[in-house]
């Protein structure tokens, strides 16, 4: 005997062997390549960023979504020799925002923190080198 029950947010469905012996009558619709809601991946065919891509893990929404979009867009469209070296300010703003919401954006452990600081120092160094190069 098949049945369904609800436990909190979960729905548990028990099906019998007999339930599965009958072929499904569901009709599948062919994929429409022009469907704007079709999963396209991170970068759309136009070269734009797909902010709805599940690969972003929801980072484009939430309290720091705008800062994330700004930093990610800057990096994506960066034409600098060291890609993203012109985006230090946007990434810093995103990081500062995330630090205000530690429950939503857990901080790194000590080992990751050191490599993060090294990466930030490298970015700042690249930015300073770019400014020096531009001023000569």
């Amino acid at each position: 005997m098949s049945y369904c029950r609800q436990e909190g947010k979960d729905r548990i469905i028990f099906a019998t062997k007999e339930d599965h012996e009958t072929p499904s009558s569901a009709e599948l619709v062919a994929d429409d390549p022009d469907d704007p809601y079709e999963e396209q991946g991170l970068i759309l065919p136009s070269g734009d960023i797909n902010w709805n891509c599940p690969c972003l893990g929801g980072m484009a929404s939430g309290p720091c979504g705008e800062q994330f979009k700004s930093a990610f867009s800057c990096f994506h469209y960066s034409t600098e020799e060291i890609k993203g070296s012109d985006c230090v300010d946007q990434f810093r703003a995103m990081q500062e925002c995330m630090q205000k919401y530690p429950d939503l954006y857990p901080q790194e452990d000590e080992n990751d923190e050191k490599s993060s600081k090294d990466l930030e120092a490298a970015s700042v160094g690249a930015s300073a080198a770019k400014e020096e190069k531009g001023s000569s």
Side-chain angles (χ1 to χ4, degrees), residues 63-115:
C64 299
E66 290 306 311
Q67 290 86 343
F68 173 79
K69 287 179 180 181
S70 174
F72 195 86
S73 293
C74 181
F75 182 82
H76 176 66
Y77 296 113
S78 176
T79 57
E80 293 298 312
E81 190 172 319
I82 299 174
K83 187 165 180 84
S85 62
D86 53 335
C87 305
V88 173
D89 292 337
Q90 290 89 336
F91 277 98
R92 185 170 288 124
M94 180 183 76
Q95 184 179 26
E96 288 170 0
C97 179
M98 289 177 170
Q99 288 172 344
K100 294 176 187 174
Y101 302 95
D103 292 342
L104 292 174
Y105 308 102
Q107 299 298 307
E108 305 159 332
D109 65 20
E110 247 178 68
N111 293 336
D112 289 342
E113 197 172 300
K114 181 183 180 300
S115 62

Side-chain angles (χ1 to χ4, degrees), residues 3-136:
Y3 69 95
C4 179
R5 74 173 191 237
Q6 193 81 25
E7 285 189 13
K9 65 175 179 53
D10 300 317
R11 180 184 296 176
I12 301 170
I13 301 171
F14 291 91
T16 64
K17 181 179 177 184
E18 292 78 27
D19 292 329
H20 291 286
E21 287 176 346
T22 308
S24 172
S25 60
E27 290 184 33
L28 299 177
V29 179
D31 289 338
D32 179 2
D34 298 324
D35 182 358
Y37 300 105
E38 183 70 26
E39 289 183 33
Q40 300 288 329
L42 179 59
I43 307 302
L44 298 170
S46 66
D48 291 337
I49 299 167
N50 179 7
W51 296 116
N52 295 319
C53 181
C55 61
L56 293 175
M59 291 294 294
S61 59
C64 299
E66 290 306 311
Q67 290 86 343
F68 173 79
K69 287 179 180 181
S70 174
F72 195 86
S73 293
C74 181
F75 182 82
H76 176 66
Y77 296 113
S78 176
T79 57
E80 293 298 312
E81 190 172 319
I82 299 174
K83 187 165 180 84
S85 62
D86 53 335
C87 305
V88 173
D89 292 337
Q90 290 89 336
F91 277 98
R92 185 170 288 124
M94 180 183 76
Q95 184 179 26
E96 288 170 0
C97 179
M98 289 177 170
Q99 288 172 344
K100 294 176 187 174
Y101 302 95
D103 292 342
L104 292 174
Y105 308 102
Q107 299 298 307
E108 305 159 332
D109 65 20
E110 247 178 68
N111 293 336
D112 289 342
E113 197 172 300
K114 181 183 180 300
S115 62
S116 175
K117 286 180 182 172
D118 291 345
L119 179 61
E120 185 177 312
S123 294
V124 170
S127 182
K130 183 186 122 196
E131 288 175 13
E132 262 183 41
K133 183 179 175 185
S135 64
S136 35

